[in-house]
Amino acid sequence: MHPAFSVIFFTVFSGTGYGLLALMGLGVAFGSLPTDRWLGILGLGLGFVSVSAGLLSSTWHLGHPERAWRAFSQWRTSWLSREGLISVVTFGPIFLLGYAWIVGTKAPSQLVVWGGLTAIGALGTVACTGMIYQSLKTVHQWHNHLTVPNYLLLGLAGGAVWLNGLTVILNLTTKAVAGVAVVAMVSAWLTKRAYWRFIETTSHQATRESATGLGQFGQVVKFEDPHTESNYLQKEMGYQIARKHAAKLRYYVEGLAFAGPLALVAMSVGTGGEIAAFTAGLATVCVSMGLLIERWLFFAEAKHVVMLYYGAKSA
């Protein structure tokens, strides 16, 4: 599939933003995160800005953005509509959590309620984003049991690294935050490798013979292209990336999104002062760059079954 920058930006930064908000909500709900005023301002503010920017960017690739509101009416059948509804509803608990944390009395009961609802809404939104792609039976690389866990774990991993950076810079470092970041990154790394292994060793059950209905006559071979120039389907759904280039980019993902941030988070905990702040900040930049490459690959490596009509041996 053709990787559209607006969708890549949306899925990465909204996912990471929601991951940050979910972890902050759970942290204050269970009392494992300091309720420092500046942590609330910067953390919730960063999460809100990231999520909002991501959601707005998702409208860039629409032919008529002014009609986007109509998608909310299809929540019974559309994961895209459910994603939109849950994302909007979640803004309520986010603002209420921010008020209780930053302006209010930090009452434990309020932090538990609004923190818990923020986490549920944030994770629910990311799960719906993943289901948009997992529900597409025509794209084998997406229609599998690893797509949604990948979206959730990558969002939590990115959010955990961001949260660790904030706590270190504010001199509120807790081993719990760094521990969550390590667990989230390792889990996301293992799940991502499992996903890559799945798409390398399996393919869509449809073949050229079943797609054309000519399998009863033997093997189907393309004689020539149906037209002289590429059409929309070939450009958008037939995007191809060389195996060697994909392998190289996967190494970049593993280095930037997982191995590098793991080492930097460990350094931020094991050191102090300016060195800790620098390594924690560098980890946030590193993981964000790695996730952008990962998401580009997620789209570039996907093959739509329609390409069987244009000579593809498998999809």
Side-chain angles (χ1 to χ4, degrees):
M1 304 289 283
H2 185 268
F5 175 76
S6 59
V7 179
I8 293 172
F9 183 90
F10 155 61
T11 54
V12 169
F13 285 96
S14 67
T16 304
Y18 277 124
L20 173 61
L21 292 171
L23 291 172
M24 293 189 69
L26 291 173
V28 295
F30 287 99
S32 57
L33 192 66
T35 54
D36 178 80
R37 186 167 182 266
W38 277 108
L39 178 60
I41 293 173
L42 296 177
L44 295 177
L46 177 60
F48 175 77
V49 170
S50 179
V51 165
S52 300
L55 293 173
L56 288 174
S57 72
S58 67
T59 64
W60 294 349
H61 68 288
L62 299 178
H64 294 277
E66 72 278 4
R67 302 177 186 173
W69 64 271
R70 297 183 180 179
F72 290 92
S73 65
Q74 306 302 312
W75 59 270
R76 294 180 181 83
T77 57
S78 169
W79 284 105
L80 176 63
S81 181
R82 293 164 187 164
E83 174 201 46
L85 282 174
I86 296 177
S87 66
V88 171
V89 171
T90 305
F91 282 134
I94 292 173
F95 286 125
L96 291 170
L97 174 61
Y99 180 83
W101 189 334
I102 301 168
V103 181
T105 59
K106 300 180 183 178
S109 59
Q110 294 182 11
L111 294 177
V112 169
V113 172
W114 303 129
L117 290 177
T118 294
I120 292 172
L123 295 176
T125 303
V126 177
C128 286
T129 303
M131 279 303 302
I132 292 174
Y133 302 103
Q134 183 173 316
S135 63
L136 299 178
K137 298 180 180 180
T138 52
V139 183
H140 177 71
Q141 290 75 16
W142 297 345
H143 187 62
N144 61 78
H145 65 285
L146 292 169
T147 298
V148 171
N150 261 284
Y151 265 75
L152 286 169
L153 289 173
L154 289 170
L156 288 172
V161 174
W162 283 14
L163 181 57
N164 180 72
L166 289 173
T167 56
V168 171
I169 292 172
L170 293 172
N171 199 26
L172 300 169
T173 307
T174 62
K175 292 184 178 179
V177 174
V180 169
V182 170
V183 171
M185 281 188 285
V186 171
S187 301
W189 194 351
L190 293 175
T191 308
K192 191 73 237 186
R193 289 182 68 91
Y195 171 83
W196 284 334
R197 185 165 56 251
F198 172 83
I199 66 175
E200 283 183 346
T201 58
T202 62
S203 60
H204 200 284
Q205 61 182 359
T207 62
R208 286 184 292 191
E209 288 73 27
S210 64
T212 59
L214 300 174
Q216 57 182 319
F217 301 108
Q219 184 178 5
V220 176
V221 179
K222 184 182 73 170
F223 177 68
E224 63 180 7
D225 290 333
H227 34 71
T228 58
E229 296 182 0
S230 298
N231 62 12
Y232 171 82
L233 293 177
Q234 290 174 294
K235 292 178 180 178
E236 294 297 321
M237 302 183 182
Y239 187 88
Q240 296 183 359
I241 177 174
R243 182 178 293 271
K244 63 177 182 179
H245 294 154
K248 183 186 298 184
L249 289 174
R250 288 182 184 181
Y251 285 127
Y252 292 158
V253 172
E254 292 189 283
L256 291 172
F258 305 121
L262 277 170
L264 291 168
V265 167
M267 289 176 62
S268 70
V269 175
T271 58
E274 296 180 356
I275 296 178
F278 175 76
T279 54
L282 184 59
T284 63
V285 175
C286 190
V287 74
S288 300
M289 292 176 60
L291 291 177
L292 285 170
I293 299 173
E294 180 278 330
R295 201 50 46 86
W296 188 92
L297 269 177
F298 176 77
F299 289 99
E301 292 187 297
K303 302 175 184 177
H304 197 283
V305 72
V306 74
M307 296 312 298
L308 292 172
Y309 289 104
Y310 294 94
K313 295 181 179 180
S314 61

